[in-house]
Amino acid sequence: MKSDLDILMQQYALDAILVLGSATHNPPMYYLTGGGHISNAFLIKKPGETGVIFCNDMEREEAARSGLEVIPLGKYPWQEMLQQAGGDSARMAAMRLKQMFADCGLTRGKVGLYGHTDVSSTLAMLTHFRQLAPEIEIIGEPRDRSLVMLAMETKDEDEVARIRQMGRITTEVVRRVADDLTTRPIRDDQVLVKEDGTPLTVADVKSRIKLWLAELGADNPEGCIFAIGRDAGIPHSAGTPTDWIRLGQTIVFDIYPCEAGGGYYYDFTRTWSLGYASPQAQALYDQVKSVYERVIASLRVNTPFKEYQRLVCEEFEKMGHPTLLTVSAPLEGYVHSVGHGLGLNVHERPWSGLTAEEENRLRPGVVFTIEPGLYYPDQGLGVRIEDTYWVRPDGVIEKLADYPYDFVLQMKQS
Amino acid sequence: MKSDLDILMQQYALDAILVLGSATHNPPMYYLTGGGHISNAFLIKKPGETGVIFCNDMEREEAARSGLEVIPLGKYPWQEMLQQAGGDSARMAAMRLKQMFADCGLTRGKVGLYGHTDVSSTLAMLTHFRQLAPEIEIIGEPRDRSLVMLAMETKDEDEVARIRQMGRITTEVVRRVADDLTTRPIRDDQVLVKEDGTPLTVADVKSRIKLWLAELGADNPEGCIFAIGRDAGIPHSAGTPTDWIRLGQTIVFDIYPCEAGGGYYYDFTRTWSLGYASPQAQALYDQVKSVYERVIASLRVNTPFKEYQRLVCEEFEKMGHPTLLTVSAPLEGYVHSVGHGLGLNVHERPWSGLTAEEENRLRPGVVFTIEPGLYYPDQGLGVRIEDTYWVRPDGVIEKLADYPYDFVLQMKQS
């Protein structure tokens, strides 16, 4: 939680954290500012202090809403400093950064760097900074153990309420998609058609999903997966826009929108077959569903997440599917992890891979997905079931949005 | 243009470029892949070669659509390499990167780094990489002269067609907003109301804008500015969501959506006053409009962009407004630059600031905005007019979308 930041800074022996970039679509900056129209900002926070945000003069009022101290970048005379830097804007940026640290009372020490922003200009600035201010060491951290990612790993009640609300919006959109598909007319060759009699395509479905998300106040920065037939068998294929929607083919529908302006995400998947399913597809679905239920029934607070990955691999292996237990990068069978944390990032700590560290646990406050799946692209088959769960402060694990698990969606005669 | 990349690499003495991150909302990666569902990828391109993309095994089919050679990351055994790296994932990432370069035939030389992605894990990886592979120097570049930004500065016909189409969508949405506002009922106190008789708010207007953009197939990752009254006087205030829409107040409406999936942007601003305007507001508008027209009339191919910034400053100074010519960071008057290039970034080369380098010229192929404005927040006044222009290959400068310049929008009696 955000309240853990100061303790984490002590543990990491950091004298400050430095966050770069905009407040939108930049989880660390959003986390510390609450979002808003702030671009290309610098945020410096020392332990025990609220933090200072250095931003474009024009964005000072937006930045002030964050509750942080605001210093407009106009304080640092660009033109003069650029002359001093011999016209090199990267060197000028480094000089200015050194001055910003000084204005926060920091002239030496270790600083952790965070942010989702332009890596090229950041590297250019830091290269000069190392020469200009060798007493201040700016360090990066691998994503799996980044201080900000560690803080974000557990959510407070307000964050969970926002994710739950995104769950409501997400499942409402899924419901509308199911209603829309099952009430469409069907051509002789089992293809769903639009009002004008032409085939309904994946692109058509996605454009409705986008519209409904916007209508319900959500953003969809990463798109969604609506993959039918062979595409369903490729876990991260987003679907081919021109594909037609046909009866009796498996559809993997994975949707992961976030709050408007780039806030908290939800993550959800259902697999459908319209009208009917082949016995082979139904059998595959039943296997995934039974493993999904097995995992849900065994979830316990504080367990290392990867234990469930192992469980899922073992169950699928027993059923004869290749998994990561026996193949290092399988192309069919069970080819991914059982889930991931989610929050301001659609994928974040805790991680569930077999190689994830033990501390990736289902601790109280963690919000995570469970999403077993099986994929056989050459047979045109893929199945995944995914819901988002929360470990409550009392240790009870709660699903954040309900939705039925029907595989075959019956077509309604109109 | 993309076809300039190889020449630019020669000029910059680069043996390769390395692009990091996802293909969406990451302009350099989008530029080289064409977008799509590709996350956390590595792209290495040497001069004269198409380039290789290293991506998640699950995203191999999406990545193949880019036309680049695809190497799934599964080729590099994560678990073994992590053991070799003593469990340090940043060191492991550096080892893998060294191997990727080797697989592209690169064991020494200078490599330019690009991408909009996580700076923390990137810095951690690069710190290890410097030790592991000192023969390969990975360098960053300041944003104002980055190789990729230089290539992007001029657009080919296909790119211009896409920006023009975004211009059509943008002005269509603006038209709908104007129609919606001018046909609303008005309360006795001059406040516009909704169907249920409650006041129409900035949040209501923005939610309609979002919906219409989604309906027309555009993304709105950066939101928009709809600022009324005092907010209109603060150039980058996005507007206060709870503000009511009243007659006779200046409204700055700045809208900058992009293609679905994070592609090309458009940028457009109009300033309105509903029903009537105060003489003071009308006078300010007329001044901005006259300076806008003066600039447009004087635009000539190959001129340094900053000459127009100087022109606008001089014109506004003559009218008695403070500008950047005389004040280093003015809070009122003319407080920003006259425009910027746009493409996959809403702001990119060429830059028009007084300190921008001469090479920021209106060269053939450049797409840019012209957006003079005047701001007096304490008087509740702000005016900006903005359109997007293209320097055609024949040197003629063309506006990419037409829209009327009315300041006072007459309310239609319903």
Side-chain angles (χ1 to χ4, degrees), chain B residues 70-238:
Chain B
V70 178
I71 299 186
L73 286 170
K75 180 185 172 185
Y76 308 96
W78 177 268
Q79 220 155 333
E80 282 172 40
M81 292 179 84
L82 193 62
Q83 271 178 354
Q84 277 180 282
D88 184 330
S89 60
R91 190 171 172 82
M92 183 273 170
M95 287 164 54
R96 188 175 60 181
L97 182 60
K98 185 179 176 181
Q99 189 57 48
M100 287 176 193
F101 279 123
D103 290 345
C104 293
L106 201 99
T107 52
R108 58 182 58 252
K110 200 165 115 187
V111 175
L113 174 75
Y114 312 91
H116 191 99
T117 187
D118 180 51
V119 289
S120 195
S121 56
T122 303
L123 176 60
M125 175 180 74
L126 292 181
T127 304
H128 283 286
F129 188 84
R130 267 196 300 275
Q131 298 175 330
L132 284 173
E135 317 76 26
I136 299 177
E137 186 193 7
I138 298 182
I139 59 153
E141 291 160 0
R143 203 171 139 76
D144 56 352
R145 64 178 83 173
S146 139
L147 174 145
V148 174
M149 295 292 272
L150 272 166
M152 286 179 171
E153 185 174 1
T154 48
K155 275 78 181 172
D156 61 29
E157 304 263 341
D158 172 57
E159 292 174 285
V160 174
R162 292 170 68 176
I163 297 170
R164 194 192 295 274
Q165 173 60 12
M166 281 307 302
R168 277 190 211 107
I169 292 175
T170 303
T171 48
E172 169 60 23
V173 170
V174 172
R175 194 167 288 121
R176 291 187 190 182
V177 174
D179 285 348
D180 182 61
L181 293 175
T182 51
T183 52
R184 293 254 160 210
I186 304 156
R187 266 189 357 196
D188 291 346
D189 59 354
Q190 309 211 319
V191 171
L192 271 59
V193 293
K194 289 186 280 195
E195 292 71 13
D196 64 2
T198 60
L200 183 77
T201 64
V202 166
D204 293 328
V205 176
K206 285 197 177 184
S207 103
R208 282 170 176 74
I209 292 167
K210 208 169 128 177
L211 196 62
W212 285 324
L213 284 170
E215 201 178 300
L216 295 170
D219 271 2
N220 192 29
E222 318 230 4
C224 70
I225 292 173
F226 196 90
I228 183 160
R230 180 166 188 278
D231 281 350
I234 302 162
H236 275 212
S237 165

Side-chain angles (χ1 to χ4, degrees), chain B residues 299-302 362-365 390-398:
Chain B
L299 292 174
R300 296 288 177 277
V301 61
N302 288 324
L362 301 186
R363 291 192 287 156
W390 168 44
V391 190
R392 293 178 356 189
D394 63 4
V396 174
I397 292 174
E398 184 186 330

Side-chain angles (χ1 to χ4, degrees), chain B residues 26-96:
Chain B
N26 178 0
M29 191 63 96
Y30 189 103
Y31 196 54
L32 289 163
T33 61
H37 196 83
I38 310 169
S39 56
N40 297 318
F42 298 72
L43 191 155
I44 296 174
K45 176 186 150 45
K46 297 197 293 181
E49 299 183 2
T50 316
V52 181
I53 183 160
F54 302 79
C55 69
N56 194 311
D57 295 50
M58 298 193 292
E59 294 165 355
R60 59 195 184 279
E61 303 231 341
E62 286 280 314
R65 292 186 197 165
S66 65
L68 300 165
E69 185 189 341
V70 178
I71 299 186
L73 286 170
K75 180 185 172 185
Y76 308 96
W78 177 268
Q79 220 155 333
E80 282 172 40
M81 292 179 84
L82 193 62
Q83 271 178 354
Q84 277 180 282
D88 184 330
S89 60
R91 190 171 172 82
M92 183 273 170
M95 287 164 54
R96 188 175 60 181

Side-chain angles (χ1 to χ4, degrees), chain B residues 276-330:
Chain B
Y276 64 92
S278 70
Q280 193 191 18
Q282 182 69 54
L284 205 69
Y285 185 86
D286 293 342
Q287 289 187 324
V288 173
K289 181 77 194 320
S290 75
V291 170
Y292 174 85
E293 283 168 358
R294 182 80 200 271
V295 176
I296 300 306
S298 64
L299 292 174
R300 296 288 177 277
V301 61
N302 288 324
T303 311
F305 202 175
K306 66 179 173 186
E307 288 198 11
Y308 301 104
Q309 171 69 350
R310 181 167 292 276
L311 172 68
V312 171
C313 287
E314 285 168 355
E315 294 291 318
F316 280 140
E317 291 275 348
K318 276 189 226 160
M319 296 170 175
H321 301 290
T323 77
L324 290 150
L325 268 191
T326 49
V327 186
S328 76

Side-chain angles (χ1 to χ4, degrees), chain A residues 3 28 73 109 139 190 220 252 335:
Chain A
S3 55
L73 286 170
I139 59 153
Q190 309 210 318
N220 192 28
V252 171
V335 304

Side-chain angles (χ1 to χ4, degrees), chain A residues 25 37 59 61 79 87 89 113 115-117 119-121 123 140-142 144-145 210 221 230 234 236 256 260 355, chain B residues 25 37 61 79 87 89 113 115-117 119-121 123 140-142 144-145 210 221 230 234 236 256 260 355:
Chain A
H25 301 290
H37 197 82
E59 295 167 354
E61 303 232 340
Q79 220 155 334
S89 60
L113 174 76
H116 192 100
T117 188
V119 290
S120 195
S121 57
L123 176 60
E141 291 161 0
D144 55 352
R145 63 178 84 174
K210 206 168 130 175
R230 182 167 185 279
I234 302 161
H236 275 212
Y256 31 86
T355 58
Chain B
H25 302 290
H37 196 83
E61 303 231 341
Q79 220 155 333
S89 60
L113 174 75
H116 191 99
T117 187
V119 289
S120 195
S121 56
L123 176 60
E141 291 160 0
D144 56 352
R145 64 178 83 173
K210 208 169 128 177
R230 180 166 188 278
I234 302 162
H236 275 212
Y256 30 87
T355 59

Side-chain angles (χ1 to χ4, degrees), chain B residues 379-401:
Chain B
Q379 301 170 46
L381 286 177
V383 173
R384 180 163 68 254
I385 299 172
E386 175 184 33
D387 287 297
T388 297
Y389 288 83
W390 168 44
V391 190
R392 293 178 356 189
D394 63 4
V396 174
I397 292 174
E398 184 186 330
K399 184 158 58 174
L400 287 177

